[in-house]
Amino acid sequence: MACAAVVLLGSAVPAVAHPLSTSAVLLDVDRTSVTATVELPLDELSIAWDQTLTATSVVDAATSAKLRAYVQADLSASDASGQPWTTVVTGGRVEKVDGVDNLVLDATLTPASGSVGDFVLHDDAVIDRLVSHRVFVSGRYGHTGPYTTLAMLSWQTQSVPVASASAAAPADQGFVPAVRLGVHHIASGSDHLLFLIMLLLPAPLLAAGRRWRPRPDPGWAGLGRSSVRVVHVVTAFAIGHSCTLALGALGWVHLPARLVESGIAFSVLVSAVHAIRPLVRRGEVFIAGGFGLLHGLAFAAILGDLDLSRTSLVTTLLGFNLGIELTQLLVVALVMPSLLLLSRTPVYPVLRVSVAALGAVLAAGWLAQRTGLIPVNPLEPVGDLLIDHPLALAVGLGVLAVTLAGTSRARTTRPAPQLEPGARVRLQTSDVSS
Amino acid sequence: MQTFTAVDLDTNGANTTDANTGEVVAATNAFLAALDADTKAKVVYDFADNQSRQTWSNFPAAQVPRKGVALSTLSDAAKAAALNVVKTMLSAQGYDQVQTIQAADDWLNKNSSSGTDSFGSDTDYYIAVYGTPSTTDPFMVQFGGHHLARNYTYKGTTASITPDFTGTEPKSFTVANTTVEPLKEKAGTLFAAFDSLSADQDAQAKLTGTINDILMGPSVDNGTFPTTEGVAVSSLSADQKKLVLAAIAAWVNDAAPAEAASLLKTYESQLDQTRIAYANTKTVDGENTYLRIDGPRVWIELVNTRSRSTPNVHYHGVWRDKTDDYGSTNPSS
């Protein structure tokens, strides 16, 4: 064979001078079916169909039905044995890709055998009418991470062989990828992060009736007690979500996704309210543990999507959970020192209540969205900020903490706390045992 | 977005005879001598670096980076020497074609509505040398940029002149009160051939399906050409055959005169096995007008395509040789 390899270059560059748009077929390869996101640029689609298709006209009922049927007829897959699969095309929305409006359709390709082995994808949509059109086919396994380009279909070839998920398993499954998946999942889940942050907000404080007040024991002793409280919160959350993650992943506990997701939104709301006014003494520990159970079920749903065999499940479960715990500890490490410093300043009550109130509103938005009261959470961008710029936020918080702590220390003339190693041990012990 | 299909290139392509290899070797050596060591290292590639040899495009260099160095990075003396290499490889007509296409890029630099100023006759055109210039062993000189690709591979006294890409946006523009139409000769002769078709011939020449860019463009290097279709030149009148030959000559005569004459004679001898075809329309400024000449060796496409830089259609044109691109036999065989 003379054909050696296909090398891809400069794929992210928008075509400024020659926007001869390409279609894209993005495959998510599962165990029992393959889902495909099909992106069809309207400029090329218009030429192919010899009619002007706009972002509005392409999604009118008749046109989108016609184009769904067209893609359904042109997009197919077959087993290694040649056995054809069924194709079902749904959806019909318009998204901009490289500055060009694309009609985006969702296709599901299902093998008659019920199990996805290696297969051949065939697609001549648009190419059959517009000969110079090109289609980029890319795929991924496990529904996460970037897509890998598999082929560029053109007038020369409209088929591409695709490996099954099991063939890709060594790279895609196992302990380390599972850890990565865990990190990725919690780091990109603003609700989980916000829950944790809401619980950390009052950790440097003491509940006195229905109010939060600063610890009476300044200096290292108070710091120690606060740290122990953080350990309690983090441990309770870890125990809570680990239990249900295992039970859920093993299939022994199952709750409807909508209920779980709504419950998580509710948990953020409760933790935010608790950060404003203590609901129960040591409430943050109970909230962390109790609602941790719900968060665990959401984590389990991610593993469920991977459709793992029992043998790989334990490895994946451990890795995934480790990823979650590591990320959780990282959040604590990034946020807690600043909170501890800030809690010694007079502005902490205002800051705590403001952040908690923002968290409460965001959580209320999620709750309304997830229970179906509103279509989208208008505050979603605020939540996205948390996952898009975590380091910038943490650094900002740190700078704020150091600045404020510095100025308040300069104003007070309180002497540095006297340290007695023995006292520290005693205080910690008493705190743990109480 | 561009892919490169790496193929195994050999040096056994059909080639044309009567190449002015000695002159090109001298001009290329003079160019290389005008470079400092760092620049020379960027200009010279292994002859076996197929992927680099295959790197040409209808896109500006900002979208698809070219190999070698841009003219804008060269000293005045080195730039003059580089252009002298190009001038030596080409005929007067061929070098004029280079300059008018560069002028179109300068025009785009000032007038493009796409918000980019990466266009330009100096910044957007690159030169690279593959292998050691020699009158016996194969080497290649690559010159091109936005809407231009000259890939000249020499082997002794023979040469390969393809793939050869020429295009222009806009089709016509004014520089200092003079109208410039870079592809006037190529498009004019080709349209003349298609305009001569009778209704019956026209029906045979018309392709089904729409084509809005050249099919044998950059990266389409695996040696597979579209199935031969269209009206047979053998069924055309003697006058019509002359028109088809004139259209082929408009491309071939860009090369240095002796090798062009030799190759044109070969293509002429194959006229009776050649077909011409068009898609969509054959009007000069028609939407997706697409014209093709398809022979045993010669392959020429001209298409009206669109961009965001100007409001009108513009030309992409390509000339390939089915048994001689990059001086290699059909890569798929």
Side-chain angles (χ1 to χ4, degrees), chain A residues 1-22 44 47-48 98-100 128-134 136 152 155-156, chain B residues 1-8 51 58-60 63 114 116 119 146-147 209-213 215-216 220 222 224-226 288 305-309 314 316 331:
Chain A
M1 273 303 286
C3 261
V6 177
V7 184
L8 294 167
L9 291 181
S11 57
V13 181
V16 179
H18 295 256
L20 286 176
S21 318
T22 51
E44 294 273 284
I47 296 170
D98 287 344
V100 176
D128 59 358
R129 291 166 163 264
L130 178 57
V131 184
S132 40
H133 188 71
R134 293 169 181 218
F136 275 88
M152 186 194 67
W155 62 268
Q156 286 195 326
Chain B
M1 185 180 269
Q2 179 156 349
T3 60
F4 289 92
T5 309
V7 296
D8 292 334
Q51 190 183 313
N58 50 279
F59 283 94
Q63 269 70 45
S114 68
T116 177
F119 306 112
H146 186 205
H147 282 148
T210 301
I211 301 174
N212 69 344
D213 204 351
L215 298 184
M216 294 305 295
V220 188
N222 63 359
T224 303
F225 285 73
N288 305 315
T305 190
R306 283 197 172 275
S307 89
R308 272 177 246 167
S309 297
H314 69 273
H316 279 183

Side-chain angles (χ1 to χ4, degrees), chain A residues 67-242:
Chain A
L67 292 171
R68 271 196 298 271
Y70 169 60
V71 171
Q72 187 158 311
D74 278 12
L75 178 70
S76 61
S78 55
D79 288 343
S81 61
Q83 171 94 24
W85 296 14
T86 56
T87 305
V88 176
V89 176
T90 58
R93 58 192 181 280
V94 173
E95 289 176 12
K96 265 208 187 331
V97 179
D98 287 344
V100 176
D101 281 332
N102 275 241
L103 173 68
V104 181
L105 301 173
D106 301 300
T108 306
L109 303 150
T110 313
S113 68
S115 171
V116 171
D118 294 349
F119 63 99
V120 174
L121 185 86
H122 182 89
D123 180 20
D124 58 0
V126 185
I127 296 173
D128 59 358
R129 291 166 163 264
L130 178 57
V131 184
S132 40
H133 188 71
R134 293 169 181 218
V135 182
F136 275 88
V137 180
S138 44
R140 64 179 183 183
Y141 305 92
H143 289 268
T144 57
Y147 289 92
T148 304
T149 303
L150 300 172
M152 186 194 67
L153 305 182
S154 69
W155 62 268
Q156 286 195 326
T157 176
Q158 296 89 47
S159 296
V160 53
V162 184
S164 69
S166 58
D172 200 51
Q173 293 179 10
F175 192 69
V176 176
V179 174
R180 217 174 282 139
L181 184 64
V183 171
H184 173 80
H185 180 65
I186 191 162
S188 61
S190 49
D191 48 1
H192 303 305
L193 290 177
L194 201 60
F195 180 64
L196 196 58
I197 290 168
M198 290 302 124
L199 293 175
L200 294 178
L201 274 179
L205 307 174
L206 268 186
R210 304 289 287 159
R211 299 185 66 84
W212 289 111
R213 61 176 177 80
R215 287 192 167 274
D217 40 5
W220 291 103
L223 200 67
R225 282 166 179 259
S226 300
S227 304
V228 168
R229 176 59 48 87
V230 172
V231 171
H232 285 177
V233 167
V234 171
T235 310
F237 185 50
I239 292 175
H241 71 232
S242 297

Side-chain angles (χ1 to χ4, degrees), chain B residues 240-320:
Chain B
Q240 286 178 311
K241 285 180 186 177
K242 274 184 197 155
L243 292 174
V244 174
L245 188 63
I248 296 173
W251 257 267
V252 177
N253 283 338
D254 275 1
E259 69 201 32
S262 162
L263 186 55
L264 195 58
K265 204 171 282 178
T266 305
Y267 289 168
E268 185 178 7
S269 73
Q270 297 175 339
L271 263 188
D272 281 351
Q273 292 92 52
T274 301
R275 289 173 185 264
I276 64 171
Y278 77 97
N280 218 44
T281 88
K282 50 177 194 177
T283 54
V284 173
D285 289 320
E287 201 69 44
N288 305 315
T289 292
Y290 173 88
L291 311 178
R292 176 198 295 174
I293 298 176
D294 179 2
R297 282 182 59 180
V298 69
W299 172 272
I300 289 168
E301 292 174 271
L302 183 75
V303 68
N304 278 347
T305 190
R306 283 197 172 275
S307 89
R308 272 177 246 167
S309 297
T310 60
N312 300 321
V313 292
H314 69 273
Y315 287 132
H316 279 183
V318 75
W319 162 34
R320 281 176 175 265

Side-chain angles (χ1 to χ4, degrees), chain B residues 86-98:
Chain B
V86 180
K87 203 180 277 182
T88 308
M89 298 192 308
L90 304 176
S91 64
Q93 168 197 315
Y95 190 66
D96 183 61
Q97 177 73 92
V98 168

